[in-house]
Amino acid sequence: MSTSHTLSRLIWPGLAVFGALTLSAQPVLAGECPADKIKPNARQMVDYKPAGVTDVTLGAIDLGKQPAHLEGRELRFRKLTIAPGGIVPWHSHDDRPALIFVQQGEIVEYASNCIDPIVHKAGDIRPEVFGTSHWWKNLGKETVVLYVGDVRKDPHDHNM
């Protein structure tokens, strides 16, 4: 039997099993509120102050000076570091869309539209858009590092 025929007999069954598993697997969205847990006003605003969190702007672009001409908008890129027990206080993204990348650690989000807390782990990306109000807490023993890209309208808006 030729080498290519032997390899074919070994590779194709493996690829078939891989394909079947891939097609039958349900998509898993890390750090999302399960569909059956989404509910408007599931969680009310809380008045926790920032604790154990640093927020450093790494760079910003005035979008009014770019070809898109989004006057009064700024694209920011920031790094948030949250110590164990640290809190990112309640804030809204109704006028400030953002993408959060969890670079290190695990953090819990308490969203206004989700009955259960949402756990975010290293490698997760969380979109924050209109209708998102929430706060976050580091319940673990490891420092959490988040990278945040957001579009800010009010230069005096210092919400995390």
Side-chain angles (χ1 to χ4, degrees):
M1 191 178 295
S2 74
T3 304
S4 63
H5 187 264
T6 302
L7 285 174
S8 262
R9 283 190 25 228
L10 296 173
I11 292 173
W12 286 113
L15 288 174
V17 169
F18 175 76
L21 289 173
T22 302
L23 291 174
S24 66
Q26 295 297 317
V28 177
L29 301 174
E32 294 279 335
C33 183
D36 63 335
K37 301 295 183 178
I38 296 173
K39 177 185 171 196
N41 302 312
R43 192 174 306 278
Q44 297 303 311
M45 181 179 155
V46 294
D47 191 24
Y48 297 131
K49 303 298 179 210
V53 60
T54 59
D55 180 355
V56 177
T57 298
L58 302 173
I61 298 171
D62 180 345
L63 295 175
K65 296 178 180 175
Q66 297 302 307
H69 300 290
L70 297 174
E71 297 300 327
R73 295 286 178 162
E74 175 185 65
L75 173 62
R76 292 186 299 177
F77 189 68
R78 303 176 297 143
K79 179 181 180 182
L80 272 67
T81 305
I82 304 109
I87 293 175
V88 175
W90 183 274
H91 58 279
S92 170
H93 289 274
D94 282 351
D95 194 33
R96 188 172 51 89
L99 285 171
I100 306 292
F101 174 70
V102 182
Q103 190 270 325
Q104 172 184 305
E106 181 176 296
I107 192 159
V108 179
E109 173 189 6
Y110 300 90
S112 63
N113 59 354
C114 190
I115 294 169
D116 292 342
I118 305 166
V119 177
H120 300 282
K121 299 177 181 182
D124 287 355
I125 293 180
R126 168 70 162 124
E128 299 178 323
V129 295
F130 181 84
T132 302
S133 294
H134 58 177
W135 66 283
W136 300 55
K137 184 167 185 175
N138 180 354
L139 299 175
K141 295 180 181 177
E142 179 182 7
T143 297
V144 172
V145 176
L146 307 175
Y147 286 97
V148 181
D150 66 353
V151 178
R152 178 171 70 162
K153 182 176 184 180
D154 178 0
H156 303 291
D157 174 2
H158 297 290
N159 285 309
M160 296 178 184

